Every structure is written in C-alpha cells, then in structure tokens.
C-alpha cells in the first residue's frame, strides 16, 4: 500500500539542485521576503503533476502529512493531490477535505500553493453555501489566508458570479502586501474576461484608490489607450 514515504522517496530522486537554487530566488525565500525559509527540492510542476497521477491511491491522511513537509514541492504535491481527491470525492469526503484545507492554511504558505488549490476546493465547496468564511479570511492577519479569500472566488467568476469577488476586492483594496494587490488585480481582470462592463463599473468607482500594481493587473487586457487613460486618471 502506498504511503507518504513512497512519495517522499520518489520526489527526492527527482530533485535537481540547479532548479532548486533558481526556485529559492524566484519564490523570494530570503530574510524578510514573503517566502522566507522555504526550501526547495527543484522539481518542475509538470513533473509533480505526473506523480500525483501515479500516486492516486494515496489516502487523505498521508496527503495531509505531506502538506506539513519542510519541502515546498512536497506541499505542492499534497495540494495537487487533495484537489484531485476532492474532484473524485462524495459530499461527505468533500466536506472533510474542505475542513482540513482550512485547518492547515499555515502550510499553504506561498502564492503558487494558494493559486493551484483555493478556487478548486474552497470556492467549489462554498458555491451553494454561505460565503461568510471567505470574508473572515479576507480580514485575516495571515497573508496567505487573505490570498485564499480572493483566489477562491475564481471558481465563481468563471461561472459569471461576481458579487463576492467584488466585495472581497473592496476589503483588500488597501492591503499592505504586493501579493494581495496582484491577486485582486488578477481576479478583477478575470471578471472583465467574462463581463467587461462589470469590471469597468468597479474600476471607475475605485481605480483612483487602488495600489498601482493592482490596477495594472486589472487593466492588463484593455486596449492600450484605455489602459493609459486609467493610469493617467482620465477615466
């Protein structure tokens, strides 16, 4: 029976020191950076996805144990695995996966870990339920919980549901962290990809108060002249 030790040994064999060194820089692991102290084996994401398919029989318990690993790629493996488990689970199992996901946010501690999982688990589970948990996360002291709150709404944006995304964007409008500015701008851009009018209405009301990075992400796909109008406060 496969377990976390089998996964660990497999990932250790796939480790690449050159890729790891690059990842250490890319994910800002230096002192006082957002990923301070994170450690990398040096495994590309497509390779990890192949291993998720290979270990599909892994239990949720073993998957959650891997989520607590000191190695970034083992945590990424665990999150990709738990997304796969969620997609194949019954309602009782989905409820447990959702609960465990939010109980372990301390280990979902980099932007890629949030972005590959929050909408597929949290957004999916809450689609027909009370979204208050997202608003609670949006005012969390933890950077990654705040990012989870807005990225989770991506699941709804793709279905043409924008209310929660816009409300959380307002909550996070003056967030001090650049990674939140990028996430909110990205989700506003995705709203625009579905309904440019809705995004435009939000931006016209709030763009002057947005951090520059958030605005740039939100208007990235606008025509050049339209982008310049926003950037020069001419809208």
């Amino acid at each position: 029976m496969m377990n976390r030790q089998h996964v660990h040994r497999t990932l250790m064999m796939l480790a690449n020191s050159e890729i790891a060194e690059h990842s250490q820089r890319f994910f800002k692991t230096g002192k006082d950076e957002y990923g301070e102290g994170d450690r990398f084996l040096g495994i590309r994401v497509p390779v990890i996805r192949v291993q998720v398919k290979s270990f599909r029989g892994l239990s949720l318990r073993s998957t959650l144990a891997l989520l607590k690993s000191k190695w970034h790629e083992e945590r990424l493996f665990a999150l990709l695995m738990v997304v796969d488990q969620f997609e194949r689970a019954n309602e009782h199992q989905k409820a447990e996966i959702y609960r465990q996901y939010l109980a372990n946010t301390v280990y979902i501690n980099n932007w890629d870990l949030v972005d590959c999982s929050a909408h597929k688990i949290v957004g999916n589970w809450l689609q027909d339920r009370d979204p208050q948990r997202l608003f609670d996360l949006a005012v969390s002291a933890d950077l990654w919980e705040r990012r989870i709150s807005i990225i989770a709404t991506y699941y709804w944006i793709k279905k043409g549901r924008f209310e929660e995304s816009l409300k959380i964007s307002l909550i996070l409008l003056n967030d001090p962290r650049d990674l939140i500015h990028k996430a909110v701008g990205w989700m506003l851009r995705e709203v625009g990809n579905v309904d440019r009018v809705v995004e435009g209405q939000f931006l016209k009301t709030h763009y002057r108060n947005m951090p520059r990075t958030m605005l740039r992400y939100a208007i990235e796909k606008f025509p050049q002249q339209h982008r310049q109008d926003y950037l020069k406060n001419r809208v």
Side-chain angles (χ1 to χ4, degrees):
M1 182 177 179
M2 65 182 66
N3 56 37
R4 61 178 178 171
Q5 285 80 17
H6 293 130
V7 176
H8 176 72
R9 286 196 293 268
T10 298
L11 294 181
M12 291 300 291
M13 288 189 293
L14 292 169
N16 181 302
S17 60
E18 290 185 7
I19 296 174
E21 184 178 349
H22 174 267
S23 296
Q24 295 283 154
R25 296 191 301 271
F26 183 75
F27 286 98
K28 308 297 184 185
T29 61
K31 183 174 174 55
D32 296 327
E33 293 182 311
Y34 65 76
E36 180 177 357
D38 207 351
R39 300 177 65 183
F40 288 79
L41 292 170
I43 309 172
R44 304 288 191 197
V45 175
V47 176
I48 296 174
R49 290 188 182 277
V50 169
Q51 295 309 314
V52 169
K53 292 181 181 179
S54 298
F55 285 99
R56 253 191 173 166
L58 198 68
S59 69
L60 178 60
R61 182 177 180 180
S62 292
T63 302
L64 293 171
L66 286 163
L67 183 57
K68 299 176 182 179
S69 172
K70 66 182 179 182
W71 298 110
H72 185 101
E73 289 89 347
E74 287 193 332
R75 300 199 304 282
L76 178 57
F77 172 95
L79 289 164
L80 293 173
M81 177 62 77
V82 85
V83 166
D84 184 76
Q85 292 169 342
F86 185 92
E87 291 172 348
R88 295 181 292 110
N90 59 38
E91 286 299 291
H92 175 75
Q93 293 166 332
K94 286 181 177 180
E96 178 61 10
I97 291 171
Y98 165 79
R99 189 185 72 80
Q100 291 289 351
Y101 184 93
L102 290 184
N104 286 281
T105 55
V106 67
Y107 306 108
I108 308 172
N109 56 355
N110 218 312
W111 58 265
D112 62 320
L113 304 180
V114 172
D115 295 359
C116 76
S117 59
H119 59 298
K120 294 181 178 181
I121 295 176
V122 181
N124 189 329
W125 178 253
L126 292 178
Q127 63 178 320
D128 298 315
R129 297 175 173 85
D130 185 354
Q132 182 57 45
R133 189 70 177 93
L134 293 188
F135 296 104
D136 295 339
L137 291 170
V139 295
S140 170
D142 183 77
L143 162 66
W144 306 115
E145 289 191 346
R146 299 199 304 277
R147 189 165 175 116
I148 287 170
S149 74
I150 187 64
I151 298 299
T153 70
Y154 188 26
Y155 189 85
W156 304 338
I157 291 170
K158 291 186 288 186
K159 295 177 179 294
R161 173 178 168 182
F162 312 126
E163 181 181 357
E164 292 83 4
S165 304
L166 299 179
K167 287 181 177 178
I168 292 172
S169 293
L170 274 179
I171 292 171
L172 298 174
L173 200 68
N174 296 308
D175 196 278
R177 300 300 295 267
D178 185 66
L179 282 171
I180 299 300
H181 304 168
K182 292 177 179 178
V184 172
W186 172 24
M187 290 302 103
L188 291 173
R189 184 174 74 234
E190 293 299 333
V191 169
N193 285 341
V194 179
D195 192 325
R196 182 62 62 82
V197 172
V198 171
E199 183 191 9
Q201 290 171 339
F202 183 90
L203 289 177
K204 285 179 182 178
T205 303
H206 302 291
Y207 83 95
R208 288 183 174 86
N209 299 318
M210 281 183 177
R212 206 66 165 175
T213 297
M214 185 185 296
L215 178 59
R216 286 186 180 278
Y217 269 62
I219 64 176
E220 184 177 40
K221 294 194 177 177
F222 284 17
Q224 183 176 358
Q225 185 57 55
H226 201 184
R227 289 200 308 273
Q228 289 302 311
D229 289 342
Y230 273 104
L231 293 171
K232 296 178 180 179
N233 293 332
R234 296 192 303 225
V235 177

